[in-house]
Amino acid sequence: MVMRHSRNAFAIGASVVTATLSLPLVSCGAPGGGSSPDAQRATATASPTRPPSSYPLSKAPRTIPAVRGHEPARGPGWRPTPTARVVVASGSKALADEGRLLSRELRLGYSAGGKARAGDIELALGGSGAAESYTLTVKNGRVRITGPDEAGVFYGTRTVKQSVRADGLVPEGTVRDRPAWPQRGLNLDIARKYYTAPWIEQRLREMADLKLNQLGLHFSDDQGFRIESTSHPEVVSAQHLTKAQVRRILALASSLHITVVPEIDSPGHLGAVLRAHPALQLHNVHGTPAQGAIDISKPDSARLVDELLREYAGLFPGAYWHLGADEYVALMARDPEASYPQLATAARAKYGPQARIKDLATGWLNDRAAVMRPYGRQLKAWNDGIFAGGVVTADKKLQVEYWTGKETGARPPLEYLREGRKLVNLNDEYLYYVLGQPNEFSYPTGRRIYEQWTPLVLRGTTPVSTAYSDQILGGRLAVWSDIAGAQSEAQVANGIRMPLRAVAQKLWDSRPPALTWEQFTALAAKTG
């Protein structure tokens, strides 16, 4: 977007298996059970029979994000043993994927529908609780993870995996955990810079371990259009993802309880599309082309964009769709009506004599929303594409993705909140990782996010009132590839590593973190 651009693990009872073993953990989603390079080793050590009451009270598992509730108990906790299994409880076969994944990661056996025994991890659906919540109990030599939905149980398995990585065990007691905000994730600009499918898949695995649940995929911009198209192959860049690759990415994301949010930005940021359709390029009164802007006074412009929207609606099955709407060059002119008289004429013809170009742009946004509505998607748009004071009002059901208060058309967060709109936080002050650091951007630091940012800090450094908490749906760290060659894939992955972990912590728990930044960084080195 740069030119861009409220919210407690298994006692190994009176006897402990006498064994010593070393178990490498494998990475989330890794096929075939191969060991990840940075996996920690979990060790179960020989021990004589010892009553649980002789142990000190347990402490909470050490994970990122931290668990929100832990009821301590006395006992040795749970460690992997050679005979331990992951058992999917009878009646919970929907958890088979989660069970198989954890068994591969911890190098344990797997059983579907059997009876859990001492040393096992049991997964079960059931109980009450909020979406994505789970209860994890360590008692009598077993781990039992339950939740009202598959995602919650999956997050319980992430707690087990991280705790074993950090300390070789899952502490005795009960964890009761759930996210503070429903939308938590990463936004990735693959339009300006081509990222390989394996690299994107690795980001999904990393996100899943951090209990993040959204990957925004911005795949069309001035510099490139990065996904195969059958309706308009002429717009696709030479380096692009095939639809088969995208389907594999989507399948992996689904198995990890991550929703991919696709974005075809319009009516701006369409340069790659317009190179193949120059007749639709917007020009000002002097005949100068407007970078990346499509001429929304032309019916063929809507036809082209709608054909692309419909094509990719069939590829991406998720619950969300991003319509863009930011940084339309016509609205960034000092006098839009004088600079782009054809748009001004079209606005008055469609919406009446008082209509202006911003009304035509709002109408464009609403029309694209109408195209996508039959597909049952929750629609999103950038905040600087939602205007006030016109004769046309943007669809009130659009979720506002708030990134800036600096661009033309942008308004303070309170204006959107007072209109009753729901916002997602992508505050460019903290959450924009812009390759090459143009336009006074600097790479965000995990420490600054961890110590200063919260989802209520929508613009700049000042939070909005907690009275608006229910209207703020969460946030995403955003990677924008403005200067594509500034960093390699590996450098991007390393650069966002700690910012992504800080964002995960702040979106999972609304309370100030218990760990210092130095402690958090040390824990991240252990959990992966």
Side-chain angles (χ1 to χ4, degrees):
M1 265 270 318
V2 175
M3 211 136 126
R4 277 199 209 258
H5 330 298
S6 245
R7 300 229 177 301
N8 266 326
F10 274 149
I12 298 179
S15 64
V16 178
V17 175
T18 303
T20 301
L21 72 158
S22 183
L23 292 170
L25 294 175
V26 303
S27 64
C28 175
S35 175
S36 63
D38 61 344
Q40 304 296 314
R41 292 185 173 273
T43 304
T45 306
S47 173
T49 301
R50 179 178 171 184
S53 60
S54 67
Y55 288 89
L57 279 174
S58 62
K59 295 183 179 180
R62 298 200 306 144
T63 61
I64 296 175
V67 300
R68 296 179 65 190
H70 177 252
E71 181 181 328
R74 299 183 187 276
W78 179 91
R79 299 175 186 264
T81 68
T83 59
R85 304 171 300 162
V86 177
V87 177
V88 173
S90 178
S92 297
K93 65 180 180 179
L95 297 172
D97 287 347
E98 290 76 9
R100 290 191 185 98
L101 175 59
L102 186 62
S103 72
R104 291 197 303 268
E105 291 172 327
L106 298 185
R107 296 280 186 109
L108 305 179
Y110 173 76
S111 175
K115 185 176 181 181
R117 61 196 183 208
D120 287 348
I121 300 174
E122 184 179 30
L123 310 182
L125 289 170
S128 59
E132 300 183 294
S133 66
Y134 68 93
T135 300
L136 185 157
T137 304
V138 177
K139 184 178 181 181
N140 297 330
R142 302 175 189 173
V143 178
R144 180 173 170 83
I145 304 171
T146 61
D149 55 33
E150 294 170 45
V153 175
F154 176 69
Y155 295 145
T157 70
R158 302 305 87 194
T159 295
V160 169
K161 177 183 176 181
Q162 284 204 17
S163 184
V164 171
R165 273 190 165 173
D167 297 309
L169 60 81
V170 187
E172 203 83 6
T174 301
V175 170
R176 293 186 177 87
D177 205 11
R178 64 184 179 90
W181 281 275
Q183 296 188 35
R184 311 174 304 279
L186 173 68
N187 212 70
L188 183 60
D189 170 14
I190 67 169
R192 293 179 177 91
K193 179 181 178 67
Y194 171 72
Y195 293 89
T196 62
W199 189 89
I200 296 171
E201 290 168 358
Q202 189 53 38
R203 301 288 71 71
L204 288 169
R205 295 184 180 101
E206 180 181 16
M207 292 169 61
D209 280 355
L210 298 171
K211 302 184 176 80
L212 298 173
N213 65 1
Q214 278 190 2
L215 174 66
L217 212 57
H218 177 87
F219 66 90
S220 169
D221 212 298
D222 297 347
Q223 294 82 350
F225 192 102
R226 301 292 183 181
I227 296 178
E228 173 189 357
S229 173
T230 51
S231 69
H232 287 283
E234 74 281 359
V235 308
V236 179
S237 301
Q239 282 189 305
H240 65 271
L241 299 173
T242 67
K243 287 189 175 181
Q245 288 175 314
V246 172
R247 290 187 184 100
R248 286 194 292 271
I249 289 168
L250 293 170
L252 176 62
S254 178
S255 74
L256 300 174
H257 300 279
I258 295 171
T259 298
V260 177
V261 183
E263 179 191 359
I264 297 178
D265 202 345
S266 79
H269 293 281
L270 281 170
V273 170
L274 291 170
R275 279 194 292 276
H277 295 270
L280 300 180
Q281 176 99 40
L282 177 66
H283 293 77
N284 70 11
V285 68
H286 303 296
T288 304
Q291 181 181 346
I294 202 165
D295 189 335
I296 59 176
S297 70
K298 295 182 176 181
D300 283 348
S301 295
R303 187 175 300 113
L304 172 62
V305 171
D306 291 348
E307 285 169 356
L308 290 168
L309 289 173
R310 291 187 179 101
E311 176 181 358
Y312 292 103
L315 178 63
F316 291 93
Y320 300 94
W321 189 279
H322 204 308
L323 294 167
D326 65 299
E327 295 181 325
Y328 188 46
V329 172
L331 291 169
M332 300 168 76
R334 180 174 298 177
D335 186 341
E337 281 67 31
S339 297
Y340 298 93
Q342 75 275 38
L343 299 184
T345 298
R348 290 190 295 270
K350 189 168 184 178
Y351 298 112
Q354 302 305 313
R356 301 172 69 81
I357 293 176
K358 68 178 181 180
D359 296 300
L360 191 66
T362 300
W364 170 276
L365 175 60
N366 288 344
D367 289 346
R368 308 293 74 76
V371 168
M372 293 304 298
R373 194 168 292 114
Y375 296 95
R377 310 301 165 82
Q378 171 60 60
L379 303 171
K380 297 170 172 284
W382 297 111
N383 70 286
D384 55 318
I386 298 178
F387 308 104
V391 300
V392 182
T393 301
D395 187 335
K396 287 294 183 70
K397 294 181 180 178
L398 287 169
Q399 290 182 0
V400 179
E401 304 248 304
Y402 197 98
W403 72 281
T404 184
K406 305 168 188 173
E407 291 289 338
T408 302
R411 297 180 283 145
L414 280 177
E415 290 194 23
Y416 303 88
L417 293 167
R418 287 168 179 161
E419 291 170 5
R421 296 186 183 274
K422 294 185 177 181
L423 273 62
V424 179
N425 191 325
L426 289 94
N427 184 345
D428 63 352
E429 176 75 23
Y430 292 94
L431 304 180
Y432 263 38
Y433 190 96
V434 186
L435 270 60
Q437 304 183 104
N439 303 323
E440 301 183 354
F441 281 99
S442 58
Y443 293 127
T445 67
R447 181 170 198 152
R448 190 161 180 255
I449 295 168
Y450 188 78
E451 294 180 345
Q452 300 178 18
W453 178 82
T454 77
L456 298 180
V457 182
L458 288 155
R459 177 185 180 181
T461 60
T462 304
V464 298
S465 167
T466 55
Y468 295 106
S469 293
D470 290 345
Q471 288 175 243
I472 298 170
L473 302 175
R476 296 194 303 280
L477 179 71
V479 176
W480 297 106
S481 307
D482 285 45
I483 303 176
Q487 290 192 339
S488 66
E489 285 185 335
Q491 288 172 318
V492 174
N494 184 63
I496 66 173
R497 183 176 180 276
M498 289 310 298
L500 195 62
R501 280 151 182 77
V503 165
Q505 175 62 46
K506 302 303 283 285
L507 288 169
W508 188 263
D509 194 340
S510 59
R511 300 169 298 184
L515 300 182
T516 65
W517 174 248
E518 290 74 18
Q519 292 169 330
F520 186 79
T521 301
L523 178 58
K526 289 189 171 186
T527 58

